[in-house]
Every structure is written in structure tokens, then in C-alpha cells.
Amino acid sequence: MQKILDYIEAQKENHLSQLIDFLKFPSISSDSKYNADMEKCSNWLVEHLKNIGINNVKTYPTAGHPIVYGEWLGAGKDAKTLLIYGHYDVQPVDPLSLWNSAPFEPTILNNRIYARGTADDKGQLFCHVKAIEAHLKTYGKLPVNVKLLFEGEEEAGSNHLEDFIIKNKEMLSCDFSMISDTEWFAEGLPTICYGLRGIAYIEVKVTGPNRDVHSGSFGGAIDNPIQVLAWMITQLKDRYGRITVPNFYDDVVPATNDERENFKKLPYNEAAYKEDLGVGELNGETGYSTLERTWVRPSLDLNGIVGGYTGEGAKTIIPSWASAKISMRLVPNQKPSQILKNIAAYLRKLAPPTVKVEVQELHSGSPLVVERDSIGIKSAVAALKAAFGKDVVFMREGGSIPIVVLFGEELHAPAILMGFGLPADNIHSPNESLHLDNFFGGIRASAIFYDEISKQ
Ligand code: BES
Ligand code: ZN
């Protein structure tokens, strides 16, 4: 192992400059303006994987963005097989004016690399690519078989990956899935994530008059779609912060006492949390702590709302329609499909007969909790500890990685969430960055992990 770690140390400059090349692609999956960039980015990744010695690498076109897949199976039939999953797509960058450097011109400052996708997830998936390279370049082999699956639609809901997995079960068969797309509880505190929330995402559109009309001529005589929508939205939670969609909590599994005790041991600092966000007070479901509210309780949020006149100055209209995007974060054992049905029915029931309501499902993904004492997790703990020289903690996560549940269901492969991000990385926000210690440490941890799991 030491020789491999020496290689990683010696290659630092190279690895960083390759990451910079990878980050320069504006691979924004949710905006079709960037389709050509998605394609270029996937091709770059394919070439890169070929160059480090991965076999059968190619892009698999989908109705959305291409999937990149390649494998190295030289460890043989008796060795373990890892499916390493990541995503090369990134979030949109707006508001651009809040970035201190251009999002696709990677910039190094104070031991961090700034660019969209550094932490989420190009930098993290690249840790595995470089760790595999280190094994292959040092000894010409790996102690495990690896299958690399990098998608381009995670940030848009992984809408085409499910189909790909179901159709390619044999090719993707594995003993474990490894995902580095999560973050540590705090800087200097290597963390294994053992739970993700699921998601159910809808868009609801309320339509009133068949065109925008004069608010003087018609004001007082007809319902205003913006006001109706706003009222409907406020009905979705009660004053205790509980979601009012019928049967919403039916399948929620409470956190165990052991989990709750474990949460209390984490160095959560409410004052710092508030200060970071610039809010005077927090607010959430009555009776739960912040970590419980974000990790083990479901939530419902408006992501955006549009309607009417929003240009300069005043325009006196009653708009024809208003529309809102609403996401719900789900916890075991809530079923996204059932939740989607229930909220659509509830919104239709709330709406007065003066308007028409359309509910569109955008995407969904199931929640996940994994066993904490599997050999996969034990190997990840050992790898993080060896790579960073610190004890490892466990946490759950409020975010979602929709496809991970499917690895369990379809491939019967338990998931290992060994992430290298930090809370200060600003994922999905302006000035996203990745701590360089975590990038280089992430390469070491990945390389050590392959060794550890092969010995189990
Ligand atoms: N890397 C994140 C998941 C995550 C979020 C991990 C927060 C740790 C902390 C992932 O790329 C992500 O953002 N997922 C989306 C999925 C959605 C679009 C279906 C999310 O959670 O919003
Ligand atoms: Zn993300």
C-alpha cells in the first residue's frame, strides 16, 4: 500500500490539473442549452478512463444525457466487485453575480478549489478515478474488480438511469456499491453517511381567466390564480410545522434511541448554524432537533414560484395563471409514488372551483438507511481513518441520491456512502468549492478502501 500512497503523493500536481480540466466543462444537466457540453464532458471522461487502463469504456446514450460506464475485472471471479457510482453533471450556477470567480474557470484559493461541481460531484468521483489509477500504475492491478458508473442526470433526478440499470443487471452485478457524493459532519471529522432522504418533486399550476385581464375591470369579480396558489401552499403545513397532506406520515419510521443518542454526540453548534445562514431563528417541526428535522423527519419546501407581472414598474393585471415547484424530502419507509398521488389529490381538493389545477410529477427517489456494521462500512471506516488519521463518525443526510436505493433493490448490492465533502463547500450555491486536503485525502481513502474490502 505504501508504494501506492507514494504514487498519489508524487502525482498531486497532475491530479489537480486533470481535475481542473474536468471542471471546465459546464455540464449543467437541467438546462438544454448545455447539451453539447454534457456530451463533451462525458467524452472527456471516457478518454480519461481509457488512458488510466479501464476497459470497455464508452458512453451509453439515453433519452437524456449519456451514461459513462467502464470496468476493470482483472482481479478475477473470486475477488469482490465494486460498483463505483458518481455524477458528472452539475447544478446551474445562477445567481452568477454572487460568484467570486467564474464557475467554470477553476480557481485555487486558501487550499480550496472553487468551481461548480468541485464537491458535487466531479471532485469526489475523481478521487476514485485517481485511486484506481494509483493501483494500476503501481502494481498493474487492483485487489478488487471495479465497475465505474458515472451518470449525467443526477441533479435532474436520474430519470434515465433506472432503466439502464434494470436492462444491464448482468453487466452491473457487484457485491457493493460505493458512492462518494456526501459530506462530513464538520471539517476534520471524517464521516460515513448511512442514510439519505428520498424525494418527491412536483410542479403545480393554477389557471384562472383564459388570459391576463385588467385588474380594475375584473378585480373583485374573479379569483386571482396567484392568490389561490399562495393560499393552497400555506395549507400544506400546520402551525406545528407538520405537513397536512393526508396520510403523509403513515409510513415514517422513527429514529432509534441509539441513533438519537449518536446525533447528540456530534458537535452541532446552533449559533454557528444560524450565523452561517444569516438567520435570526430556526424553524421546523415542533418536538424535534435540527439534526432530526433534516435527517429523520420528512420536509416540504417550495423551490420556486412564478406568475403574473414581474418586470419593471407596475402593470395592472389579474394573471391567467401561477405555478409553483414543490419538493418533499422523504424518510424510510415513505413511498414516493404514494406521496405523489396523495399530494396531487390534496391540491386538487384544496382548489376552489374558480380555477383549474394541474399537477405534474417531475421526479422522485426513495429514502435509504444502510446497516452500519456491514463489512463494507467497516472497510470504509478503516480507510477513512488511515487516510486522514482521525476517528470516524456516522451521520444521516438530508439530501438525496435517488439511484442508490435501486442498487440495493436491483443489484442486491449494499451501498457505502464514503464522501469527502464538507459543510463549507457550498454545494448548489454560489462559490462551490472542495477542500484540497479532502481531495487528496479522498484519493488515499479510496485507494486504501479497495485494499481493505478485498481482505474482508
Ligand atoms: N450530492 C448531493 C446529495 C447531497 C446533498 C449529499 C447534501 C450531501 C449533502 C446530490 O448531488 C444532490 O444534490 N442530489 C439532489 C437529488 C435530486 C435532484 C433528485 C438533491 O438532493 O437535491
Ligand atoms: Zn447535488
Side-chain angles (χ1 to χ4, degrees), residues 214-364:
H214 195 290
S215 65
S217 310
F218 296 94
I222 57 173
D223 249 340
N224 181 315
I226 297 181
Q227 281 156 289
V228 171
L229 177 63
W231 177 82
M232 287 165 60
I233 287 166
T234 58
Q235 302 309 301
L236 296 175
K237 280 188 197 174
D238 68 16
R239 63 198 173 99
Y240 304 105
R242 278 179 69 91
I243 295 153
T244 53
V245 175
N247 304 100
F248 189 80
Y249 292 94
D250 283 6
D251 299 324
V252 170
V253 179
T256 64
N257 287 337
D258 175 44
E259 286 187 286
R260 284 213 297 272
E261 288 311 309
N262 192 32
F263 296 170
K264 283 186 201 145
K265 286 188 206 134
L266 293 170
Y268 169 70
N269 177 337
E270 188 139 307
Y273 192 89
K274 287 195 277 196
E275 163 142 2
D276 170 55
L277 293 169
V279 298
E281 287 299 333
L282 303 179
N283 189 28
E285 191 183 358
T286 306
Y288 294 92
S289 69
T290 296
L291 296 186
E292 288 170 345
R293 285 169 178 171
T294 52
W295 295 351
V296 303
R297 297 296 294 170
S299 61
L300 179 150
D301 278 283
L302 269 285
N303 295 267
I305 179 162
V306 285
Y309 182 70
T310 55
E312 196 178 335
K315 183 186 182 202
T316 46
I317 55 157
I318 296 173
S320 171
W321 59 271
S323 164
K325 292 184 195 282
I326 306 176
S327 66
M328 289 153 286
R329 297 290 171 163
L330 310 178
V331 300
N333 291 327
Q334 288 179 295
K335 312 252 170 327
S337 55
Q338 190 61 48
I339 296 286
L340 287 168
K341 268 194 208 114
N342 293 354
I343 190 168
Y346 186 50
L347 287 167
R348 285 194 198 99
K349 189 174 141 224
L350 284 173
T354 51
V355 296
K356 187 175 93 190
V357 174
E358 291 158 282
V359 180
Q360 195 193 342
E361 297 178 3
L362 295 186
H363 61 66
S364 63

Side-chain angles (χ1 to χ4, degrees), residues 85 87 89 91 119-121 124 153-158 180-184 193 196-201 303 327 329 363-365 395 397-402 427-428:
Y85 163 84
H87 61 96
D89 66 322
Q91 283 278 321
D120 188 10
D121 173 43
Q124 295 204 52
E153 295 189 297
E154 197 272 347
E155 299 292 7
S158 297
S180 295
D181 189 23
T182 50
E183 59 192 32
W184 294 3
C193 172
L196 294 165
R197 286 199 289 189
I199 190 164
Y201 203 128
N303 295 267
S327 66
R329 297 290 171 163
H363 61 66
S364 63
M395 68 181 261
E397 180 54 64
S400 314
I401 308 174
I427 64 171
H428 294 209

